[in-house]
């Protein structure tokens, strides 16, 4: 149901970073995300309408290089990236950020392969948006930092290396007061007031939104399904404001009230 004027024929690549999974099959998989949320993003006209989105498993953590830990094959090695679970290093946002940074460096070539190039110049023209949820916010901060560094190191491959990542949108960021988005990027967060698992006090943001949406079940306010209207409104505001952060924030607050009757507070 997107208006024709929202269609971007060039397309842009959405990267989805999941949080704590409840089944192994949800890692780096669309099954983690609410179907309608994915459809909302895919039909907005901003992300890549003709290609596959990029899924990343944000439920991982990594100790420092001087600490031995178990990798995903249960082998004890230094500097291993571990699958997250309760009661260990996965509970520490700085360790999830460590894993995100390491994984982002290794994942860079996979992302490049999905970005469209100008047929005449061979330069990459397609941009990126990053969406995180819950524990994936800390992982996403490290992942984004790694992408920024790799883009800078491979600037000759991009038509505009200073403008590759449009924004990062963090849904229900867990342990938000211990997360800082890397500089040089337009990042936003959104938490729901009845959600005890998230907050709106991440550092380095252009806007920290809070509202009262929920969905079914005990974790309704935290679920990805509860962010469908938020994401729809944000994407419309981002496009209307042409990415200008101050205008995005103002338009988003007004749009959510006018279109959905939802009051959004900004930290």
């Amino acid at each position: 149901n997107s208006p024709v004027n929202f269609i971007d024929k060039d397309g842009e690549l959405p990267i989805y970073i999941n949080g704590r999974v409840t089944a192994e099959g949800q890692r780096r998989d669309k099954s983690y995300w609410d179907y309608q949320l994915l459809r909302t993003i895919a039909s907005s006209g901003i992300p890549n309408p003709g290609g596959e989105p990029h899924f990343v498993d944000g439920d991982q953590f990594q100790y420092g290089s001087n600490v031995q830990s178990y990798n995903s094959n249960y082998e004890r090695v230094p500097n291993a990236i571990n699958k997250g679970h309760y009661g260990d290093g996965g509970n520490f946002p700085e360790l999830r950020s460590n894993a995100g940074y390491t994984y982002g460096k290794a994942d860079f070539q996979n992302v490049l392969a999905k970005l469209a190039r100008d047929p005449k110049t061979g330069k990459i023209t397609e941009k990126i948006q990053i969406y995180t949820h819950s524990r994936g916010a800390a992982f996403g901060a490290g992942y984004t930092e790694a992408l920024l560094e790799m883009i800078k190191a491979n600037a000759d491959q991009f038509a505009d290396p200073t403008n590759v990542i449009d924004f990062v949108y963090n849904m229900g960021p867990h342990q938000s007061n211990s997360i800082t988005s890397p500089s040089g990027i337009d990042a936003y967060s959104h938490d729901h007031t009845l959600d005890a698992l998230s907050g709106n006090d991440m550092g380095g943001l252009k806007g920290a939104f809070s509202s009262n949406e929920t969905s079914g079940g005990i974790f309704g306010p935290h679920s990805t399904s509860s962010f469908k209207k938020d994401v729809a409104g944000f994407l419309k505001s981002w496009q209307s404001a042409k990415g200008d952060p101050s205008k995005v924030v103002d338009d988003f607050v007004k749009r959510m009230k006018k279109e959905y009757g939802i009051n959004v507070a900004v930290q």
Side-chain angles (χ1 to χ4, degrees), residues 31-249:
S31 62
Y32 175 91
W33 302 87
D34 177 79
Y35 173 78
Q36 190 56 50
L37 175 69
L38 296 180
R39 291 303 310 152
T40 296
I41 295 172
S43 63
S44 69
I46 297 177
N48 189 338
E52 286 295 318
H54 191 67
F55 293 97
V56 173
D57 180 17
D59 186 19
Q60 302 183 85
F61 69 95
Q62 181 184 33
Y63 291 109
S65 59
N66 61 336
V67 177
Q68 287 196 342
S69 58
Y70 292 97
N71 64 13
S72 58
N73 294 321
Y74 303 101
E75 300 166 332
R76 195 168 180 79
V77 296
N79 213 29
I81 292 182
N82 301 264
K83 292 180 180 179
H85 48 88
Y86 298 114
D88 62 6
N91 291 330
F92 295 92
E94 63 272 21
L95 301 186
R96 298 197 299 276
S97 182
N98 288 348
Y101 181 81
T102 299
Y103 189 89
K105 289 280 185 115
D107 199 36
F108 180 67
Q109 293 299 327
N110 295 326
V111 173
L112 280 192
K114 292 188 175 182
L115 297 176
R117 295 176 182 266
D118 184 292
K120 294 183 179 180
T121 66
K123 303 284 188 178
I124 292 173
T125 55
E126 190 171 13
K127 297 183 186 179
I128 296 168
Q129 294 87 34
I130 299 175
Y131 300 87
T132 80
H133 179 246
S134 191
R135 291 191 175 196
F139 186 98
Y143 184 90
T144 302
E145 183 178 358
L147 288 191
L148 289 172
E149 290 184 11
M150 295 300 289
I151 290 168
K152 184 177 180 180
N154 295 271
D156 61 322
Q157 296 199 48
F158 297 87
D160 183 2
T162 65
N163 188 24
V164 178
I165 302 177
D166 276 334
F167 59 77
V168 181
Y169 186 84
N170 302 284
M171 292 171 263
H174 183 55
Q175 298 170 312
S176 59
N177 61 345
S178 298
I179 308 170
T180 299
S181 181
S183 60
I185 201 73
D186 291 346
Y188 304 84
S189 76
H190 199 135
D191 87 302
H192 293 151
T193 53
L194 297 178
D195 179 11
L197 299 175
S198 68
N200 66 342
D201 45 5
M202 282 180 63
L205 300 178
K206 299 297 184 181
F209 308 118
S210 184
S211 55
N212 66 352
E213 292 101 306
T214 188
S215 187
I218 188 172
F219 295 112
H222 191 64
S223 66
T224 62
S225 61
S226 66
F227 287 92
K228 289 178 288 191
K229 293 178 181 177
D230 300 327
V231 170
F234 176 81
L235 292 177
K236 290 179 183 179
S237 294
W238 186 86
Q239 190 172 49
S240 175
K242 300 185 185 304
D244 183 324
S246 62
K247 294 180 180 179
V248 169
V249 171

